[in-house]
Amino acid sequence: MSKQAQINVTRFVSRPKNTPFAPSWDYFMFEKNIKKINYKNFSKFLLSKEKEILKLAPTKTSNKVTVGYTGLKENTTTARYGSYNVLSWKDKNVKILKDEIVNFHNQILEMFNYPQPKELYAQCWVNILKKGDQMKPHIHTVDPDCYLGGHLCIQCDDTTTNYINPINQICEPEIYYSKNEVGKITLFQNNIPHGTSVQEKNKKRITIAFDLFTKNMNPNCVRLIWKN
């Protein structure tokens, strides 16, 4: 089986334009499974870090705490998404995850015959959702340095991550409902709005999210690729 055959590709793509003023779009999401990680051990490790994370100051956007516009409360690990970096922690599963993110990223570039960037950085955080929690639709970035975002399911039960067509998101939104499964990793264009279903179970939903950049965007970023 080829590397590309292991990846599920989902697209929001427009029909051919009939007028010069009609919108056009072509957005991509990529999914595959990572089997090398011990997810039971990883979930325990991430839960053991929760209190440590919550002692950090929440990340601010436009000089205020927004929790990434997810609608979650400030007393969450998500609210500190830019104040720490999971990929800087010393853990066997973290090391595997770093390698898998790079491999997945490189597979996608090969798929489109895109050149590899001179450098690749990641900001990475953990989302821990309790019963009744839900991430409202939000966008990570739309600036000129927009690249790829990612998501890995560590512990989940009957939930989805919902990706919305950036053009068609208001009246009759086009939504891709990605079923959360332990080990599923997703990479997507980082300007695609996304949120989650409501966490209905008592068991916590644990996921890891990350942003990829081709330059160092924040003091907590971890460098994944570099060329001399």
Side-chain angles (χ1 to χ4, degrees):
M1 181 180 292
S2 66
K3 288 183 178 180
Q4 286 79 1
Q6 299 174 19
I7 299 174
N8 177 51
V9 180
T10 301
R11 296 170 71 183
F12 292 131
V13 59
S14 57
R15 292 177 293 174
K17 295 172 61 169
N18 291 323
T19 80
F21 296 105
S24 62
W25 60 86
D26 195 0
Y27 298 99
F28 287 87
M29 289 152 286
F30 311 89
E31 296 171 309
K32 72 172 188 176
N33 293 311
I34 297 176
K35 298 181 179 180
K36 297 179 181 179
I37 290 174
N38 184 321
Y39 290 97
K40 287 186 178 180
N41 287 348
F42 205 12
S43 63
K44 291 178 182 178
F45 173 72
L46 294 173
L47 288 172
S48 75
K49 287 282 191 176
E50 186 174 11
K51 289 184 180 179
E52 176 185 326
I53 295 170
L54 293 177
K55 291 179 181 178
L56 301 172
T59 304
K60 292 186 176 181
T61 305
S62 301
N63 207 32
K64 61 182 178 180
V65 178
T66 63
V67 197
Y69 301 99
T70 61
L72 294 175
K73 296 179 181 179
E74 284 190 29
N75 62 338
T76 59
T77 57
T78 304
R80 291 143 180 84
Y81 65 91
S83 303
Y84 67 101
N85 197 319
V86 172
L87 299 182
S88 67
W89 295 342
K90 303 298 181 183
D91 178 81
K92 179 180 179 181
N93 289 309
V94 170
K95 184 180 185 304
I96 294 171
L97 175 58
K98 287 170 68 174
D99 292 340
E100 290 293 331
I101 289 173
V102 172
N103 290 339
F104 195 11
H105 166 268
N106 292 347
Q107 283 180 259
I108 292 170
L109 294 190
E110 290 174 9
M111 185 184 299
F112 291 95
N113 198 29
Y114 290 157
Q116 190 179 92
K118 292 183 179 180
E119 295 184 301
L120 184 69
Y121 294 85
Q123 178 62 37
C124 182
W125 62 97
V126 58
N127 299 310
I128 301 175
L129 300 191
K130 301 174 183 177
K131 186 174 182 179
D133 286 344
Q134 180 183 25
M135 285 191 187
K136 302 296 184 181
H138 59 284
I139 300 174
H140 286 196
T141 181
V142 293
D143 66 29
D145 292 306
C146 179
Y147 197 55
L148 294 170
H151 174 264
L152 174 67
C153 297
I154 308 297
Q155 178 176 286
C156 55
D157 186 5
D158 196 24
T159 58
T160 61
T161 302
N162 311 324
Y163 299 90
I164 307 170
N165 182 334
I167 303 296
N168 183 16
Q169 58 175 296
I170 297 178
C171 297
E172 296 181 6
E174 181 183 2
I175 304 175
Y176 168 58
Y177 297 93
S178 175
K179 183 179 180 181
N180 294 151
E181 299 170 343
V182 172
K184 179 189 280 189
I185 185 170
T186 305
L187 280 178
F188 55 92
Q189 290 175 253
N190 221 2
N191 63 313
I192 295 177
H194 56 284
T196 71
S197 59
V198 177
Q199 171 64 16
E200 302 281 6
K201 308 292 185 179
N202 288 319
K203 191 174 184 179
K204 294 178 179 178
R205 175 187 181 274
I206 306 172
T207 61
I208 286 177
F210 53 91
D211 291 326
L212 299 181
F213 308 101
T214 57
K215 62 174 72 171
N216 193 347
M217 301 295 285
N218 128 13
N220 290 312
C221 276
V222 169
R223 188 166 66 170
L224 301 179
I225 292 175
W226 63 94
K227 295 181 180 179
N228 296 326

